[in-house]
Amino acid sequence: MKRYFLGLSIACASVVAQAEPSVPDAVWSQAWLDAAYLPRHTVLTQSADALMRSVDLVCAQTNAHNLEQARQTWLATSKAWRALDAAPAGPMVLERIGRKIDFRPTRPDDIEVAIQTGDVSNAATRGLPAIEYLLWGNAQPKAQLAKLKQPARCAYLSKTAQQVASHAHFLDQPWQTYRIELGAENPFFRENLLSEHINLLLSSMGSLQKRMPTADGVKPEQFAEWRSGSSHAQFMAQVGGMNLALQAVVQRLRAEGSAQLADQVSVEMQQVQKRCESLPQNLAQSAAKARMACHQAITDLRARVQVQVGEKLDLTLGFTEGDGD
């Protein structure tokens, strides 16, 4: 059986490991996976399948209605990916699935060359960002219908959507394998579960901070998913996925007798939700002060988790730039 230990590179930046870190039992570990991860994976695979079908319909009947349906299924798939990538775990980290589904930055010039050759092997010219470009262009949605009537262009779009669905489903069996490993008699995977889970949450919080610039005079291109105008919705999908995965940490703190710390983490997560949700849908039109409030709420939560939660659960926490996906 393939072993899905993440093998994270841990930086000893803030918390010193203790002799006996908290180790969840098999029932708790599998319940955590069932509640926070497998449902998000299911939503992603179902959305990706729908995207593949809707894109095929665009290529079969290239009209405005079908193009709008494809755009809506892309939005659903991208948000499903954001929610899952908000707190990666298990096989999706080992398989580096993010580089296959969500390679950034988008490279329009390279995509245009790839369309002409039909070559979808280059990670830089495929995935959800490439599909966004093909459906919206550089924020020029009205111009794309005529372009997609070009057979080579629509064929490339179809192949790329098929790849996204294939990569999503690639993890169907590995997730089940990881679940079995968490329930095995050997506690190896459970011993590493909390440190890996929380380190990846910290990495996700850092990603959110990078996605929310705080300077004055920002441009639309500074925000991910600016082409589709969905930057805020995608950002909040990532916040929601992070919040869901964070509940396991809160639950664990309560089980360890740290209800006050658990409450503090919950309150700070609520602040992230509140301050970031209040931003306008067009993030480029948001005030720097409002973006700073969102950014600071994430910073506060991240510091609480990295220092106090790590100390309470006797974990070594801290990320280097090379950690995660």
Side-chain angles (χ1 to χ4, degrees):
M1 180 183 296
K2 190 173 182 179
R3 300 175 69 84
Y4 282 96
F5 175 52
L6 307 187
L8 296 176
S9 172
I10 305 299
C12 300
S14 59
V15 181
V16 178
Q18 303 299 314
E20 296 182 2
S22 177
V23 179
D25 61 25
V27 173
W28 188 93
S29 301
Q30 290 185 325
W32 161 79
L33 194 70
D34 293 345
Y37 284 87
L38 299 186
R40 284 187 289 150
H41 172 71
T42 298
V43 172
L44 175 62
T45 54
Q46 291 175 346
S47 299
D49 288 344
L51 175 60
M52 179 175 62
R53 292 191 297 268
S54 68
V55 162
D56 286 345
L57 186 57
V58 168
C59 293
Q61 302 177 39
T62 311
N63 56 51
H65 173 76
N66 289 342
L67 177 55
E68 181 58 28
Q69 289 299 111
R71 287 170 174 163
Q72 291 303 313
T73 54
W74 180 89
L75 288 167
T77 305
S78 185
K79 288 193 290 186
W81 164 250
R82 285 272 160 248
L84 183 59
D85 192 47
M92 65 182 293
V93 179
L94 182 67
E95 300 295 345
R96 304 184 73 80
I97 201 71
R99 296 183 183 276
K100 301 172 183 177
I101 287 180
D102 190 37
F103 185 93
R104 292 184 184 276
T106 309
R107 298 179 179 175
D109 291 343
D110 291 343
I111 292 172
E112 293 296 340
V113 172
I115 290 171
Q116 300 306 313
T117 64
D119 181 10
V120 292
S121 62
N122 183 355
T125 63
R126 64 190 187 198
L128 291 171
I131 295 174
E132 180 189 28
Y133 168 72
L134 291 168
L135 293 177
W136 277 275
N138 288 324
Q140 299 169 316
K142 293 183 180 180
Q144 303 316 305
L145 183 60
K147 289 185 176 182
L148 287 172
K149 290 181 179 180
Q150 302 169 11
R153 194 176 195 84
C154 218
Y156 189 85
L157 172 63
S158 180
K159 289 179 183 178
T160 305
Q162 290 170 13
Q163 279 189 329
V164 168
S166 177
H167 289 318
H169 279 291
F170 182 80
L171 297 183
D172 289 350
Q173 184 55 49
W175 275 119
Q176 295 304 317
T177 300
Y178 185 51
R179 189 182 189 281
I180 292 171
E181 291 168 339
L182 287 176
E185 183 177 352
N186 187 328
F188 175 77
F189 290 93
R190 296 191 297 278
E191 289 173 346
N192 292 282
L193 178 61
L194 287 175
S195 62
E196 292 171 354
H197 173 56
I198 297 176
N199 266 298
L200 288 165
L201 274 172
L202 290 172
S203 180
S204 178
M205 293 175 197
S207 172
L208 280 169
Q209 290 173 309
K210 292 177 181 178
R211 285 167 62 88
M212 187 57 64
T214 58
D216 290 321
V218 293
K219 298 179 180 179
E221 303 88 74
Q222 290 178 250
F223 298 94
E225 296 94 19
W226 65 276
R227 291 178 171 84
S228 58
S230 65
S231 300
H232 185 256
Q234 305 285 345
F235 187 93
M236 293 311 300
Q238 187 167 338
V239 168
M242 183 182 70
N243 185 23
L244 178 62
L246 191 63
Q247 298 313 306
V249 178
V250 172
Q251 183 188 70
R252 195 69 195 173
L253 288 170
R254 296 191 189 284
E256 296 281 337
S258 295
Q260 182 177 3
L261 180 55
D263 290 342
Q264 290 171 333
V265 171
S266 294
V267 167
E268 289 183 343
M269 184 64 230
Q270 291 169 10
Q271 285 298 308
V272 171
Q273 186 81 30
K274 179 181 178 180
R275 294 180 183 179
C276 299
E277 182 67 47
S278 66
L279 293 169
Q281 291 302 305
N282 186 341
L283 291 178
Q285 295 178 356
S286 60
K289 183 178 179 180
R291 281 182 275 110
M292 175 59 80
C294 170
H295 191 280
Q296 186 60 51
I298 298 168
T299 300
D300 293 343
L301 174 63
R302 193 181 190 209
R304 177 88 61 186
V305 172
Q306 187 165 355
V307 178
Q308 295 186 22
V309 173
E311 181 179 5
K312 174 58 188 177
L313 299 180
D314 291 337
L315 305 173
T316 300
L317 301 180
F319 256 81
T320 68
E321 288 299 316
D323 290 328
D325 194 25

